Amino acid sequence: MKVILNGEPFETTRADSVTGLLEETGFGGREVAVVLNGEMIPAGARGAYRLSEGDHVELFRFVAGG
Amino acid sequence: MPVWLDLPRDQAGGTATQEDVERALACSDPGARELAVLLSPAASPLMEAMAVRARDLTRRHFGRTISLYTPLYLANYCSNGCEYCGFASDRPQRRVHLKPSEMAREMDAITGRGFQELLLLTGERSEPAGVDFLLAGVSLAAERFHHVGIEAFPMTAPEYARMAEAGCSGVTIYQETYDPDRYGRLHRWGPKKDYLERLEAPSRAMAAGMRTVGLGVLLGLSDPVSEALRLFRHANHLRSTYWRSGIALSFPRLRPEAGGFVSPFPVDESMLARIIFAFRIVMPDVPILLSTRERPEFRDGMAGLGVTKMSAGSRTTVGGYGGTEAVDDGQFRISDERSVEEFCAMLRNRGLDPVFKNWDRVFMEAADG
Amino acid sequence: MKETGNADDSWTVGGHRFTSRLLMGTGKFRDAETMADAIQASGAQFVTVALRRVGGGSGADDLLESLLKLRGITLMPNTSGARTAAEAIRAARLGRELSGSPFVKVEIHPDPHHLMPDPIETFEAARVLAAEGFAVMPYMPADPVLARRLEDVGCASLMPQGSAIGSGRGLATADMLRLIVRGARIPVIVDAGLRAPSEAAAALEMGCEAVLVNSAVAAAGDPAAMADAFARAVAAGRSAFMAGLMPRGSETAATSTSPLTSFLSPVTP
Ligand code: SF4
């Protein structure tokens, strides 16, 4: 399935949920905030969100900054 | 009593030395501590230095101008028993109120003398002289004056809002004394007995959008130094909470009145002057008023030395400016009986410019349309 | 007038109590280790972090880990990168999701060249976020009226500029800062423009509750040593404020030739 991850096309091999996508991209268990089609998905609710073809997924994390 | 009115122990000023006074005079950002020092006995030999500082600050913030206003008593009914007042309900005064046509005639007589700012006064709210009566007065005044203030009974916030809507932009309400015990004893009966109700009135007026609120103490009722310190705290509290409204201060001294009340804490001119200088120093941008209660020589001397706003040609009787014949004895006796012309000539002689016009009304109209 | 009377001289913002009055930014450090050392040396309990989309590689994304190794640190996500209130609000919500803390440093600078805060968008974002329960700490121009307005909409603190961000001009806005401090009932924290510890001390001396520094430490020759110097300057400035500064030299040494007070009568009415 093709989704748009952080603005780039991304082909998932097995993931069909937000949690699955995080694992596949190596962010499972890491501190990231997930935005699915413009809506923030709280960490506890990620398992419940299925992915569909063409979904926009954005992942955010903290970086250094003033 | 609310915490913001508490006086911290270290600010009593009782142990201040002359050096402390000099330091307070030179302080670039003086506050409560400096006020206490400037009012302490140690400051009395430094009156001249205080006067110079007060004059310089007054000039810096207000230029060489004195704004003029005049009071108009609309009624003298009162159900309160303020021991010090000639309108108290046990005084044998003739009780009267002005009819709208009389108000209009009085006001026209006042504008005829050049005034653009009017202060409307009444006693406690009563059947013939309540909120609606005062509103009628405000509306008539708003058609004729640029700035209309009221000095009447405490009101609710919605009542203040109605006053503002009718064209009132200032509310004056003195606590008289901040000492709750003394307050309770001096206000023998009537709604004014409620200390906190009166204390909160300025906040309500400000919350209702009043542009200026006048605060003050009636000097002579209690220890003037603690009164001044509490007044300062009250003013600061209001300034930080309602920053869109301005504050004005006044320090009326007890005057002889009909009932013959004798002041338990007489304040002489030099103490009154010192209080005014000290407030100018700690609150350099706040208007300070001085009424015709004081004698001409004192008023002339104080003009521009802290004082920025003065009444002239005043009557403390109901009406009495020419529109109607005064029939009562007035709230208190006036000391400065000079005419407006004489008073203005004196100001000009001293290099001060009498200012009649307050521009609030123009801005308010611009905001409307 | 602010009441400051804790025995340990701590200060409170957004319901959290802090003893350190030095806040640190985490940007512009050579590497994560230098940053962690500097923060430790500063004694800061409150540090800002930015929020970015996860990049392709995962090079320097262990910032959080090195920060979390330091104990007693509260994170304040900022909204840097936002050019409008809407963007800042979105960033704040994401930041809260990640940090679990109610704090947000609202910073909105639409002009990429000078990073000056946009007062209008900042006000709007602060209004919305405060209503949502955030402890809003707005990075703002040193404008006393804007300060009142931001306080009115429920901000937890004010973070006026000492001078233009990155300018290292110190407290160029000192007169405005004094007015802000005098009117504020919430903590005032000077943010941006500081270069030397003496400037941080001066901010505390005038009654600011704390300062936030970043470049001054990150770009110093020895960041950890500079962080320590700032910590001591902040403590000294605070002590000086509490002690009460001696006033400046008298402005009115001269007395007039003809006395101003000769009209006073000694008689009481
Ligand atoms: S001071 Fe005012 S309230 Fe008191 S008796 Fe006089 S008119 Fe009435």
Side-chain angles (χ1 to χ4, degrees):
Chain A
M1 174 170 44
K2 249 207 196 85
V3 296
I4 309 294
L5 178 62
N6 286 345
E8 309 272 330
F10 183 84
E11 184 74 46
T12 61
T13 50
R14 44 186 209 284
D16 61 350
S17 73
V18 171
T19 319
L21 180 71
L22 287 180
E23 263 150 36
E24 192 174 323
T25 50
F27 287 101
R30 306 277 293 277
E31 294 282 349
V32 288
V34 179
V35 175
L36 173 61
N37 298 325
E39 188 194 342
M40 192 179 71
I41 311 297
R46 283 171 194 165
Y49 281 83
R50 306 276 103 195
L51 288 177
S52 320
E53 187 74 23
D55 273 352
H56 284 256
V57 181
E58 289 172 292
L59 306 179
F60 290 86
R61 64 185 163 80
F62 282 140
V63 298
Chain B
M1 202 160 36
V3 274
W4 49 260
L5 212 47
D6 281 351
L7 295 183
R9 293 224 162 278
D10 63 325
Q11 285 173 4
T15 55
T17 64
Q18 193 154 325
E19 236 168 57
D20 293 330
V21 179
E22 279 160 10
R23 218 173 287 147
L25 273 174
C27 184
S28 51
D29 190 15
R33 204 185 318 173
E34 284 71 24
L35 180 63
V37 168
L38 294 173
L39 295 176
S40 71
S44 87
L46 288 163
M47 276 295 275
E48 195 55 32
M50 284 180 70
V52 171
R53 182 98 175 105
R55 183 198 57 193
D56 293 353
L57 286 168
T58 306
R59 242 178 235 174
R60 195 185 302 167
H61 289 269
F62 297 85
R64 293 170 184 269
T65 62
I66 296 288
S67 354
L68 295 179
Y69 73 99
T70 205
L72 171 62
Y73 285 75
L74 296 178
N76 65 0
Y77 300 100
C78 201
S79 54
N80 288 319
C82 310
E83 233 186 303
Y84 47 80
C85 174
F87 286 164
S89 66
D90 58 340
R91 302 290 197 271
Q93 286 263 10
R94 201 153 139 209
R95 303 295 165 159
V96 285
H97 67 279
L98 298 178
K99 292 196 275 298
S101 59
E102 292 169 335
M103 291 182 191
R105 257 183 288 142
E106 289 291 330
M107 290 173 190
D108 290 338
I110 293 168
T111 49
R113 296 173 191 197
F115 288 101
Q116 294 286 349
E117 172 162 355
L118 185 66
L119 179 65
L120 298 173
L121 298 97
T122 70
E124 186 50 63
R125 67 174 83 203
S126 62
E127 198 48 41
V131 171
D132 291 329
F133 169 82
L134 196 50
L135 271 175
V138 167
S139 304
L140 287 170
E143 291 165 11
R144 295 168 168 81
F145 294 85
H146 280 271
H147 180 88
V148 179
I150 52 174
E151 183 172 347
F153 40 87
M155 292 177 212
T156 63
E159 285 169 342
Y160 279 128
R162 286 175 69 198
M163 293 291 159
E165 218 171 289
C168 171
S169 43
V171 165
T172 297
I173 189 149
Y174 303 147
Q175 189 62 26
E176 321 289 14
T177 172
Y178 284 95
D179 176 340
D181 298 334
R182 215 167 273 286
Y183 185 96
R185 269 178 282 137
L186 288 162
H187 300 101
R188 298 167 297 172
W189 55 78
K192 194 168 170 182
K193 229 184 157 27
D194 191 338
Y195 176 94
L196 283 178
E197 162 69 10
R198 193 169 185 85
L199 189 68
E200 292 298 335
S203 324
R204 293 197 297 269
M206 285 180 159
M210 236 14 112
R211 276 167 173 272
T212 46
V213 168
L215 303 177
V217 286
L218 185 52
L219 294 174
L221 297 182
S222 183
D223 166 47
V225 176
S226 6
E227 297 280 46
L229 295 175
R230 288 234 162 81
L231 172 64
F232 180 69
R233 290 186 72 87
H234 192 186
N236 265 334
H237 169 75
L238 291 172
R239 281 235 288 193
S240 64
T241 316
Y242 302 99
W243 57 276
R244 288 166 195 273
S245 302
I247 278 181
L249 296 175
S250 182
F251 302 93
R253 283 195 300 170
L254 262 180
R255 292 286 307 151
E257 48 74 41
F261 175 72
V262 179
S263 163
F265 286 86
V267 170
D268 63 12
E269 278 189 357
S270 135
M271 188 61 191
L272 171 58
R274 190 132 64 88
I275 291 173
I276 291 173
F277 297 158
F279 268 91
R280 173 54 66 231
I281 291 167
V282 296
M283 297 192 127
D285 49 5
V286 165
I288 296 180
L289 282 68
L290 191 66
S291 79
T292 53
R293 283 168 185 263
E294 302 301 338
R295 65 188 178 102
E297 296 74 15
F298 182 79
R299 293 194 355 122
D300 298 358
M302 290 302 286
L305 293 194
V307 171
T308 58
K309 192 163 170 176
M310 302 173 87
S311 51
S314 305
R315 305 278 180 275
T316 63
T317 52
V318 176
Y321 288 99
T324 41
E325 188 83 22
V327 292
D328 60 325
D329 301 334
Q331 190 187 25
F332 58 84
R333 232 181 286 153
I334 279 169
S335 302
D336 184 350
E337 299 189 315
R338 287 173 295 180
S339 71
V340 185
E341 294 73 42
E342 284 172 274
F343 185 71
C344 288
M346 175 283 295
L347 288 178
R348 291 200 186 92
N349 252 337
R350 303 178 77 92
L352 293 164
D353 192 14
V355 172
F356 287 95
K357 195 158 194 171
N358 178 306
W359 290 98
D360 283 13
R361 174 134 314 273
V362 171
F363 290 128
M364 286 194 288
E365 274 160 10
D368 287 347
Chain C
M1 220 181 326
K2 248 180 311 272
E3 308 294 343
T4 35
N6 298 317
D8 61 353
D9 194 30
S10 61
W11 62 290
T12 306
V13 62
H16 282 52
R17 229 152 61 83
F18 298 98
T19 47
S20 163
R21 292 170 182 275
L22 178 58
L23 286 69
M24 287 275 292
T26 54
K28 304 175 199 121
F29 283 95
R30 220 173 10 251
D31 50 44
E33 194 189 331
T34 313
M35 178 196 74
D37 286 351
I39 289 175
Q40 189 147 34
S42 74
Q45 297 162 315
F46 211 3
V47 303
T48 60
V49 287
L51 194 71
R52 291 289 178 269
R53 274 204 324 210
V54 173
S58 52
D61 66 346
D62 47 1
L63 171 76
L64 207 57
E65 279 147 54
S66 50
L67 274 181
L68 291 178
K69 266 187 255 153
L70 305 169
R71 259 187 291 195
I73 298 276
T74 301
L75 292 185
M76 173 168 45
N78 67 26
T79 63
S80 66
R83 289 155 305 151
T84 64
E87 288 175 7
I89 290 166
R90 184 162 174 257
R93 291 176 185 152
L94 286 170
R96 178 157 68 176
E97 161 79 0
L98 273 175
S99 69
S101 114
F103 292 104
V104 59
K105 177 183 168 192
V106 171
E107 54 174 292
I108 303 177
H109 23 69
D111 185 327
H113 299 293
H114 53 45
L115 304 181
M116 293 298 269
D118 180 330
I120 295 161
E121 298 293 321
T122 300
F123 175 79
E124 185 53 22
R127 190 180 63 79
V128 171
L129 291 170
E132 284 182 20
F134 280 90
V136 180
M137 309 186 51
Y139 163 58
M140 55 180 284
D143 180 319
V145 175
L146 179 63
R148 297 284 209 174
R149 298 288 306 261
L150 286 167
E151 182 168 347
D152 282 353
V153 296
C155 286
S157 77
L158 300 166
M159 302 185 79
Q161 295 182 301
S163 50
I165 188 163
S167 70
R169 299 275 317 279
L171 300 179
T173 60
D175 288 345
M176 296 299 120
L177 290 174
R178 259 183 221 108
L179 285 178
I180 293 174
V181 168
R182 192 184 297 173
R185 285 166 298 157
I186 51 178
V188 177
I189 301 165
V190 171
D191 183 8
L194 301 189
R195 177 175 153 270
S198 55
E199 296 154 0
L204 274 290
E205 283 164 8
M206 72 166 72
C208 294
E209 207 74 56
V211 297
L212 189 150
V213 293
N214 191 342
S215 309
V217 169
D222 180 341
M226 187 56 83
D228 173 58
F230 264 98
R232 286 186 285 145
V234 163
R238 177 63 185 177
S239 303
F241 173 72
M242 295 303 279
L245 296 168
M246 178 190 92
R248 276 181 225 285
S250 172
E251 287 183 49
T252 47
T255 38
S256 56
T257 41
S258 62
L260 291 175
T261 53
S262 52
F263 62 88
L264 296 172
S265 140
V267 182
T268 49

